[in-house]
Amino acid sequence: MDTTSVTTVSLAIILYSLVSARLRQSVITAPIVFVSFGLLVGNAGYRMLEFRLEHDAIHLLAELTLIVVLFTDASRIDLKLFCREHDLPVRLLTIGLPLCILMGTIAAWLLFPGFGFWQAAVLAAIVAPTDAALAHAVVTNKLAPTRIRQAISVESGLNDGICLPLFLIFLCGARVAEHLETTSYWVQFAAMQIGIGPLVGICVGYIGGKLIERSAIHKWIRTAGTISVAGFRWMG
């Protein structure tokens, strides 16, 4: 990105921040604003922003964004409330989400004749895990029952992490079907992503949470209000 692109993006973020509280009371959400902004000033609009998707920096930024989104969504979940009101989120994640992926796969297969089964499944796995930001007006509406709002928040916080392994499996299937790499290569890749990746994440999260817990107990860490890590809270 050049200076003009950085300035344009920064200005958009500042302008949105200035009216974010007002927009929070409406049906206009941050994804709607920034997607519309991207279409307006990007390659499809006035071409004020020039991105090269094949650049390594774009791939690194996308990976870091995914990590932050998955972590922040999961860290917002109230585990105590989830344990009490777990029936709806469990149904959404174990019944609703798989059915959504299945129906999305069938729809993509019918709408895009050039897609094979695996390509349609990849598209469905991308579209299925919706974010609560798109339903912000419902999640924050006090007229809606707390049980319903919590169920939507929990489902949106966990569906990305559940769909990511499925996405990788479907992607491996698509690559093998196109004979781009050997089957053994993609089996090994899927095993590393689905097995080693979560294991490393669990270890890092557990050790990091324990370190923050000890620092908070001994007042070695400076806090502003309540610290929440992995659903546990410590008062500063």
Side-chain angles (χ1 to χ4, degrees), residues 163-221:
C163 284
L164 181 59
L166 297 177
F167 167 78
L168 293 174
I169 293 173
F170 297 153
L171 183 62
C172 292
R175 301 283 288 187
V176 171
E178 296 176 4
H179 303 287
L180 297 178
E181 282 91 5
T182 62
T183 303
S184 60
Y185 169 82
W186 283 109
V187 170
Q188 182 181 3
F189 173 81
M192 291 181 62
Q193 296 295 325
I194 299 171
I196 299 178
L199 181 61
V200 172
I202 291 172
C203 293
V204 171
Y206 179 80
I207 294 174
K210 286 296 183 180
L211 291 175
I212 294 177
E213 179 182 13
R214 291 190 63 83
S215 295
I217 292 175
H218 294 287
K219 299 186 182 300
W220 295 342
I221 186 171

Side-chain angles (χ1 to χ4, degrees), residues 56-98:
D56 292 339
I58 298 296
H59 294 172
L60 177 60
L61 179 62
E63 291 180 357
L64 292 176
T65 302
L66 177 62
I67 293 171
V68 172
V69 169
L70 291 178
F71 177 80
T72 53
D73 283 349
S75 65
R76 292 195 190 103
I77 297 173
D78 190 332
L79 291 182
K80 293 182 179 178
L81 183 58
F82 174 69
C83 292
R84 290 200 312 267
E85 305 286 350
H86 65 276
D87 53 338
L88 278 181
V90 169
R91 292 176 191 173
L92 289 173
L93 292 170
T94 60
I95 300 176
L97 185 59

Side-chain angles (χ1 to χ4, degrees), residues 92-109 117-130 155 158-171:
L92 289 173
L93 292 170
T94 60
I95 300 176
L97 185 59
L99 286 177
C100 184
I101 295 177
L102 177 61
M103 295 176 64
T105 301
I106 296 173
W109 206 359
F117 170 79
W118 292 111
Q119 288 89 346
V122 168
L123 180 60
I126 294 174
V127 176
T130 56
E155 194 275 339
L158 296 178
N159 57 16
D160 297 289
I162 294 174
C163 284
L164 181 59
L166 297 177
F167 167 78
L168 293 174
I169 293 173
F170 297 153
L171 183 62

